[in-house]
Amino acid sequence: MATTRITYSLPPHINPYEAPLAFGRLAVPKLNRELQDCDLVTRQKAVYSLCTIVHDPERCFEALNEGCISTLKGLLDDKDDTVRYKSVEALNVMAQHSLCRIAFIEEEVIAAIAKLFDDEVDIVRKFAHSTIEMISEVPLGSQGLVEEDLIPALVHKLNIELDELKLYILDSLHFCSRIDPESALECGALTVLADLLFNKNTDIRYKAARGIMDVCVPLRGKVEAVAHPILVKTLVDLLDDENEQVQTVAAGAIMNISITTEGKYAHIKAKAIPALEKLVKSGRSETRLYATKALTCLAEAPKGRKALMGYVKEREEQQLDEMESSEAVKKASHIAKNVITWEP
């Protein structure tokens, strides 16, 4: 039954934590001024509102043109946890747009975000790592991270951060290692990534193995991988992992390491050939490709060639090459056959 009593509650569409927006094109300039206000509550409400409206691409580009990125960069050093949290969250949303990523590099925002890696608030560190990961996805962004010398910080954080945040760090390190794998090796990334291969989280194992595949592209990475006490055996064990993505990148890492003579014999000794032969029949074309190329590398050693003689006959009997749908795998298989059947 209706009464004349007036409720003290605000309407459901009004958020008391957000600042009221000005009409139309005046909204973003007003928020930008309030973000620089001396009053803490005003800054909190303004950053809450800005964080909400930048989900709209049009508002996001208005904020970019108004100079909000520079303002948010200054708020990353704010003493208030809420202001820092919502500021980096707003930057995280804006990082989804390529123009904003370019502006981050021009405004030198990357270094300011990286300072939050040591923040005591978990949610602040989460958005900081998430934003850095988004920036690193494009070549210009990953190059910017390398120039800011963030690889040592990323490697260090892999040792101490929460598993949830390690996923973002591993992605960032993956894109940076494609630009400069030598820097990652100098920081001891191979040892850190090798330890993560034993993690219970499947995504972490996958991304750690992918990282090893990246840093083993240069010769130094191959040498360090063979010299590591348990890495070769661990990668061979991962070929039987329950997750297909983990199997794929493990085969890719073995492929890269086995280019050297020491790498070939180390993996032959670790009994990688039987496990790789199973992966050649995988349902994933990428897995079949990496496994075939890894077998080709191992077949370049006389001991490996001898062990793979039956592999060629099996493929011919089952007509696997004729049934293969991927042209890349067909080409790799043809090369493998020539290497295995080669005679001096």
Side-chain angles (χ1 to χ4, degrees), residues 16-17 19 34 37-47 83:
Y17 299 105
E34 292 177 346
D37 198 281
C38 296
D39 182 57
L40 174 60
V41 176
T42 302
R43 293 201 305 277
Q44 286 178 339
K45 289 188 174 185
V47 75
V83 173

Side-chain angles (χ1 to χ4, degrees), residues 157-210:
K157 288 300 177 181
L158 280 176
N159 287 314
I160 59 177
E161 266 298 359
L162 303 172
D163 281 358
E164 181 185 359
L165 304 189
K166 285 179 182 177
L167 295 172
Y168 297 115
I169 299 171
L170 286 167
D171 281 336
S172 301
L173 189 61
H174 163 63
F175 293 113
C176 290
S177 296
R178 287 180 153 185
I179 301 292
D180 188 8
E182 293 285 352
S183 295
L185 290 170
E186 289 175 3
C187 304
L190 189 71
T191 303
V192 176
L193 292 169
D195 293 338
L196 292 176
L197 295 177
F198 299 97
N199 197 289
K200 294 181 180 179
N201 189 313
T202 302
D203 291 333
I204 290 180
R205 291 201 309 275
Y206 158 66
K207 293 182 179 182
R210 183 186 62 181

